[in-house]
PDB file of all heavy atoms in Angstrom:
ATOM      1  N   PRO A  31      -5.063  -9.757   6.859  1.00  0.00           N
ATOM      2  CA  PRO A  31      -4.967 -11.102   7.443  1.00  0.00           C
ATOM      3  C   PRO A  31      -6.109 -11.453   8.166  1.00  0.00           C
ATOM      4  O   PRO A  31      -6.594 -10.699   8.893  1.00  0.00           O
ATOM      5  CB  PRO A  31      -3.661 -10.930   8.307  1.00  0.00           C
ATOM      6  CG  PRO A  31      -2.953  -9.688   7.792  1.00  0.00           C
ATOM      7  CD  PRO A  31      -4.010  -8.812   7.406  1.00  0.00           C
ATOM      8  N   ALA A  32      -6.472 -12.752   8.063  1.00  0.00           N
ATOM      9  CA  ALA A  32      -7.576 -13.266   8.801  1.00  0.00           C
ATOM     10  C   ALA A  32      -7.326 -13.094  10.360  1.00  0.00           C
ATOM     11  O   ALA A  32      -6.288 -13.485  10.820  1.00  0.00           O
ATOM     12  CB  ALA A  32      -7.824 -14.776   8.389  1.00  0.00           C
ATOM     13  N   GLY A  33      -8.318 -12.548  11.032  1.00  0.00           N
ATOM     14  CA  GLY A  33      -8.145 -12.199  12.377  1.00  0.00           C
ATOM     15  C   GLY A  33      -7.528 -10.998  12.822  1.00  0.00           C
ATOM     16  O   GLY A  33      -7.561 -10.529  14.006  1.00  0.00           O
ATOM     17  N   ALA A  34      -6.940 -10.234  11.807  1.00  0.00           N
ATOM     18  CA  ALA A  34      -6.311  -8.966  11.961  1.00  0.00           C
ATOM     19  C   ALA A  34      -7.019  -7.776  11.327  1.00  0.00           C
ATOM     20  O   ALA A  34      -6.421  -6.847  11.004  1.00  0.00           O
ATOM     21  CB  ALA A  34      -4.824  -9.007  11.662  1.00  0.00           C
ATOM     22  N   GLU A  35      -8.247  -8.007  11.081  1.00  0.00           N
ATOM     23  CA  GLU A  35      -9.074  -7.028  10.282  1.00  0.00           C
ATOM     24  C   GLU A  35      -9.045  -5.615  10.996  1.00  0.00           C
ATOM     25  O   GLU A  35      -8.910  -4.542  10.340  1.00  0.00           O
ATOM     26  CB  GLU A  35     -10.466  -7.431  10.141  1.00  0.00           C
ATOM     27  CG  GLU A  35     -10.654  -8.689   9.129  1.00  0.00           C
ATOM     28  CD  GLU A  35     -10.447 -10.033   9.791  1.00  0.00           C
ATOM     29  OE1 GLU A  35     -10.190 -10.062  11.022  1.00  0.00           O
ATOM     30  OE2 GLU A  35     -10.568 -11.150   9.130  1.00  0.00           O
ATOM     31  N   ALA A  36      -9.178  -5.625  12.267  1.00  0.00           N
ATOM     32  CA  ALA A  36      -9.259  -4.364  12.898  1.00  0.00           C
ATOM     33  C   ALA A  36      -7.958  -3.631  12.834  1.00  0.00           C
ATOM     34  O   ALA A  36      -7.944  -2.323  12.674  1.00  0.00           O
ATOM     35  CB  ALA A  36      -9.682  -4.606  14.431  1.00  0.00           C
ATOM     36  N   ASP A  37      -6.898  -4.327  13.165  1.00  0.00           N
ATOM     37  CA  ASP A  37      -5.508  -3.632  12.888  1.00  0.00           C
ATOM     38  C   ASP A  37      -5.346  -3.142  11.513  1.00  0.00           C
ATOM     39  O   ASP A  37      -4.704  -2.017  11.289  1.00  0.00           O
ATOM     40  CB  ASP A  37      -4.489  -4.618  13.318  1.00  0.00           C
ATOM     41  CG  ASP A  37      -4.493  -4.858  14.836  1.00  0.00           C
ATOM     42  OD1 ASP A  37      -4.964  -3.981  15.613  1.00  0.00           O
ATOM     43  OD2 ASP A  37      -3.842  -5.893  15.233  1.00  0.00           O
ATOM     44  N   HIS A  38      -5.785  -3.966  10.604  1.00  0.00           N
ATOM     45  CA  HIS A  38      -5.593  -3.564   9.161  1.00  0.00           C
ATOM     46  C   HIS A  38      -6.321  -2.264   8.830  1.00  0.00           C
ATOM     47  O   HIS A  38      -5.950  -1.396   8.137  1.00  0.00           O
ATOM     48  CB  HIS A  38      -5.858  -4.672   8.216  1.00  0.00           C
ATOM     49  CG  HIS A  38      -5.519  -4.547   6.813  1.00  0.00           C
ATOM     50  ND1 HIS A  38      -4.264  -4.727   6.336  1.00  0.00           N
ATOM     51  CD2 HIS A  38      -6.308  -3.917   5.681  1.00  0.00           C
ATOM     52  CE1 HIS A  38      -4.287  -4.409   5.033  1.00  0.00           C
ATOM     53  NE2 HIS A  38      -5.480  -4.024   4.714  1.00  0.00           N
ATOM     54  N   ALA A  39      -7.585  -2.184   9.345  1.00  0.00           N
ATOM     55  CA  ALA A  39      -8.416  -1.045   9.154  1.00  0.00           C
ATOM     56  C   ALA A  39      -7.696   0.186   9.691  1.00  0.00           C
ATOM     57  O   ALA A  39      -7.738   1.289   9.113  1.00  0.00           O
ATOM     58  CB  ALA A  39      -9.833  -1.306   9.700  1.00  0.00           C
ATOM     59  N   LYS A  40      -7.160   0.041  10.862  1.00  0.00           N
ATOM     60  CA  LYS A  40      -6.475   1.227  11.422  1.00  0.00           C
ATOM     61  C   LYS A  40      -5.404   1.693  10.650  1.00  0.00           C
ATOM     62  O   LYS A  40      -5.110   2.872  10.417  1.00  0.00           O
ATOM     63  CB  LYS A  40      -6.055   0.842  12.868  1.00  0.00           C
ATOM     64  CG  LYS A  40      -7.099   0.672  13.919  1.00  0.00           C
ATOM     65  CD  LYS A  40      -6.501   0.276  15.257  1.00  0.00           C
ATOM     66  CE  LYS A  40      -7.659  -0.052  16.237  1.00  0.00           C
ATOM     67  NZ  LYS A  40      -7.267  -0.566  17.550  1.00  0.00           N
ATOM     68  N   LEU A  41      -4.572   0.753  10.059  1.00  0.00           N
ATOM     69  CA  LEU A  41      -3.426   1.048   9.220  1.00  0.00           C
ATOM     70  C   LEU A  41      -3.948   1.762   7.920  1.00  0.00           C
ATOM     71  O   LEU A  41      -3.291   2.719   7.538  1.00  0.00           O
ATOM     72  CB  LEU A  41      -2.733  -0.284   8.775  1.00  0.00           C
ATOM     73  CG  LEU A  41      -1.571  -0.028   7.745  1.00  0.00           C
ATOM     74  CD1 LEU A  41      -0.478   0.895   8.255  1.00  0.00           C
ATOM     75  CD2 LEU A  41      -0.978  -1.465   7.370  1.00  0.00           C
ATOM     76  N   VAL A  42      -5.032   1.208   7.316  1.00  0.00           N
ATOM     77  CA  VAL A  42      -5.584   1.961   6.138  1.00  0.00           C
ATOM     78  C   VAL A  42      -6.006   3.454   6.457  1.00  0.00           C
ATOM     79  O   VAL A  42      -5.824   4.297   5.727  1.00  0.00           O
ATOM     80  CB  VAL A  42      -6.835   1.047   5.570  1.00  0.00           C
ATOM     81  CG1 VAL A  42      -7.599   1.935   4.657  1.00  0.00           C
ATOM     82  CG2 VAL A  42      -6.323  -0.150   4.949  1.00  0.00           C
ATOM     83  N   SER A  43      -6.609   3.555   7.595  1.00  0.00           N
ATOM     84  CA  SER A  43      -7.084   5.018   8.009  1.00  0.00           C
ATOM     85  C   SER A  43      -5.726   5.822   8.122  1.00  0.00           C
ATOM     86  O   SER A  43      -5.825   6.951   7.612  1.00  0.00           O
ATOM     87  CB  SER A  43      -7.813   4.882   9.251  1.00  0.00           C
ATOM     88  OG  SER A  43      -8.212   6.173   9.650  1.00  0.00           O
ATOM     89  N   GLU A  44      -4.767   5.339   8.748  1.00  0.00           N
ATOM     90  CA  GLU A  44      -3.540   6.147   8.949  1.00  0.00           C
ATOM     91  C   GLU A  44      -2.933   6.423   7.508  1.00  0.00           C
ATOM     92  O   GLU A  44      -2.368   7.580   7.279  1.00  0.00           O
ATOM     93  CB  GLU A  44      -2.545   5.369   9.728  1.00  0.00           C
ATOM     94  CG  GLU A  44      -3.024   5.261  11.259  1.00  0.00           C
ATOM     95  CD  GLU A  44      -2.102   4.330  11.983  1.00  0.00           C
ATOM     96  OE1 GLU A  44      -1.130   3.783  11.415  1.00  0.00           O
ATOM     97  OE2 GLU A  44      -2.471   3.985  13.175  1.00  0.00           O
ATOM     98  N   LEU A  45      -2.797   5.479   6.617  1.00  0.00           N
ATOM     99  CA  LEU A  45      -2.278   5.659   5.371  1.00  0.00           C
ATOM    100  C   LEU A  45      -3.097   6.762   4.471  1.00  0.00           C
ATOM    101  O   LEU A  45      -2.494   7.554   3.864  1.00  0.00           O
ATOM    102  CB  LEU A  45      -2.094   4.345   4.641  1.00  0.00           C
ATOM    103  CG  LEU A  45      -1.099   3.335   5.111  1.00  0.00           C
ATOM    104  CD1 LEU A  45      -1.153   2.058   4.446  1.00  0.00           C
ATOM    105  CD2 LEU A  45       0.289   3.940   5.090  1.00  0.00           C
ATOM    106  N   ALA A  46      -4.340   6.564   4.600  1.00  0.00           N
ATOM    107  CA  ALA A  46      -5.181   7.507   3.844  1.00  0.00           C
ATOM    108  C   ALA A  46      -5.011   8.999   4.430  1.00  0.00           C
ATOM    109  O   ALA A  46      -4.853   9.865   3.523  1.00  0.00           O
ATOM    110  CB  ALA A  46      -6.716   7.224   3.971  1.00  0.00           C
ATOM    111  N   LEU A  47      -4.967   9.114   5.704  1.00  0.00           N
ATOM    112  CA  LEU A  47      -4.658  10.351   6.181  1.00  0.00           C
ATOM    113  C   LEU A  47      -3.275  10.964   5.911  1.00  0.00           C
ATOM    114  O   LEU A  47      -3.047  12.132   5.744  1.00  0.00           O
ATOM    115  CB  LEU A  47      -4.870  10.372   7.700  1.00  0.00           C
ATOM    116  CG  LEU A  47      -6.339  10.237   8.273  1.00  0.00           C
ATOM    117  CD1 LEU A  47      -6.260   9.910   9.728  1.00  0.00           C
ATOM    118  CD2 LEU A  47      -7.090  11.458   7.942  1.00  0.00           C
ATOM    119  N   GLY A  48      -2.329  10.130   5.837  1.00  0.00           N
ATOM    120  CA  GLY A  48      -0.878  10.468   5.451  1.00  0.00           C
ATOM    121  C   GLY A  48      -0.674  10.697   3.877  1.00  0.00           C
ATOM    122  O   GLY A  48       0.483  11.066   3.618  1.00  0.00           O
ATOM    123  N   ALA A  49      -1.555  10.386   3.082  1.00  0.00           N
ATOM    124  CA  ALA A  49      -1.334  10.588   1.606  1.00  0.00           C
ATOM    125  C   ALA A  49      -1.115  11.971   1.268  1.00  0.00           C
ATOM    126  O   ALA A  49      -1.619  12.942   1.893  1.00  0.00           O
ATOM    127  CB  ALA A  49      -2.568  10.056   0.830  1.00  0.00           C
ATOM    128  N   GLU A  50      -0.294  12.304   0.173  1.00  0.00           N
ATOM    129  CA  GLU A  50      -0.052  13.669  -0.174  1.00  0.00           C
ATOM    130  C   GLU A  50      -1.222  14.359  -0.622  1.00  0.00           C
ATOM    131  O   GLU A  50      -2.174  13.724  -1.164  1.00  0.00           O
ATOM    132  CB  GLU A  50       1.032  13.625  -1.303  1.00  0.00           C
ATOM    133  CG  GLU A  50       2.405  13.176  -0.843  1.00  0.00           C
ATOM    134  CD  GLU A  50       3.455  13.335  -1.949  1.00  0.00           C
ATOM    135  OE1 GLU A  50       3.197  14.333  -2.917  1.00  0.00           O
ATOM    136  OE2 GLU A  50       4.582  12.728  -1.891  1.00  0.00           O
ATOM    137  N   GLU A  51      -1.237  15.779  -0.427  1.00  0.00           N
ATOM    138  CA  GLU A  51      -2.365  16.572  -0.908  1.00  0.00           C
ATOM    139  C   GLU A  51      -2.635  16.457  -2.337  1.00  0.00           C
ATOM    140  O   GLU A  51      -1.694  16.263  -3.210  1.00  0.00           O
ATOM    141  CB  GLU A  51      -2.032  18.001  -0.553  1.00  0.00           C
ATOM    142  CG  GLU A  51      -3.253  18.879  -0.622  1.00  0.00           C
ATOM    143  CD  GLU A  51      -4.347  18.647   0.275  1.00  0.00           C
ATOM    144  OE1 GLU A  51      -3.977  18.177   1.489  1.00  0.00           O
ATOM    145  OE2 GLU A  51      -5.551  18.927   0.079  1.00  0.00           O
ATOM    146  N   GLY A  52      -3.919  16.284  -2.762  1.00  0.00           N
ATOM    147  CA  GLY A  52      -4.288  16.135  -4.116  1.00  0.00           C
ATOM    148  C   GLY A  52      -4.391  14.806  -4.591  1.00  0.00           C
ATOM    149  O   GLY A  52      -4.761  14.574  -5.733  1.00  0.00           O
ATOM    150  N   MET A  53      -3.879  13.792  -3.856  1.00  0.00           N
ATOM    151  CA  MET A  53      -3.886  12.364  -4.260  1.00  0.00           C
ATOM    152  C   MET A  53      -5.231  11.780  -4.073  1.00  0.00           C
ATOM    153  O   MET A  53      -5.986  12.143  -3.124  1.00  0.00           O
ATOM    154  CB  MET A  53      -2.801  11.538  -3.656  1.00  0.00           C
ATOM    155  CG  MET A  53      -1.458  12.025  -3.915  1.00  0.00           C
ATOM    156  SD  MET A  53      -0.972  12.048  -5.644  1.00  0.00           S
ATOM    157  CE  MET A  53      -1.151  13.771  -6.069  1.00  0.00           C
ATOM    158  N   ARG A  54      -5.733  10.944  -5.010  1.00  0.00           N
ATOM    159  CA  ARG A  54      -7.009  10.240  -4.795  1.00  0.00           C
ATOM    160  C   ARG A  54      -6.759   8.915  -4.184  1.00  0.00           C
ATOM    161  O   ARG A  54      -6.290   7.988  -4.831  1.00  0.00           O
ATOM    162  CB  ARG A  54      -7.771  10.137  -6.205  1.00  0.00           C
ATOM    163  CG  ARG A  54      -8.049  11.512  -6.859  1.00  0.00           C
ATOM    164  CD  ARG A  54      -9.063  11.286  -7.993  1.00  0.00           C
ATOM    165  NE  ARG A  54      -8.583  10.360  -8.976  1.00  0.00           N
ATOM    166  CZ  ARG A  54      -8.020  10.787 -10.096  1.00  0.00           C
ATOM    167  NH1 ARG A  54      -7.644  12.055 -10.242  1.00  0.00           N
ATOM    168  NH2 ARG A  54      -7.448   9.896 -10.919  1.00  0.00           N
ATOM    169  N   VAL A  55      -7.361   8.814  -2.927  1.00  0.00           N
ATOM    170  CA  VAL A  55      -7.100   7.605  -2.123  1.00  0.00           C
ATOM    171  C   VAL A  55      -8.522   7.153  -1.764  1.00  0.00           C
ATOM    172  O   VAL A  55      -9.455   7.881  -1.374  1.00  0.00           O
ATOM    173  CB  VAL A  55      -6.309   7.867  -0.925  1.00  0.00           C
ATOM    174  CG1 VAL A  55      -6.091   6.561  -0.074  1.00  0.00           C
ATOM    175  CG2 VAL A  55      -4.946   8.424  -1.277  1.00  0.00           C
TER     176      VAL A  55
END
Side-chain angles (χ1 to χ4, degrees):
E35 289 87 357
D37 289 339
H38 190 81
K40 291 176 184 176
L41 174 61
V42 165
S43 181
E44 292 168 4
L45 291 175
L47 287 170
E50 291 190 20
E51 190 67 29
M53 299 300 99
R54 297 194 303 267
V55 182

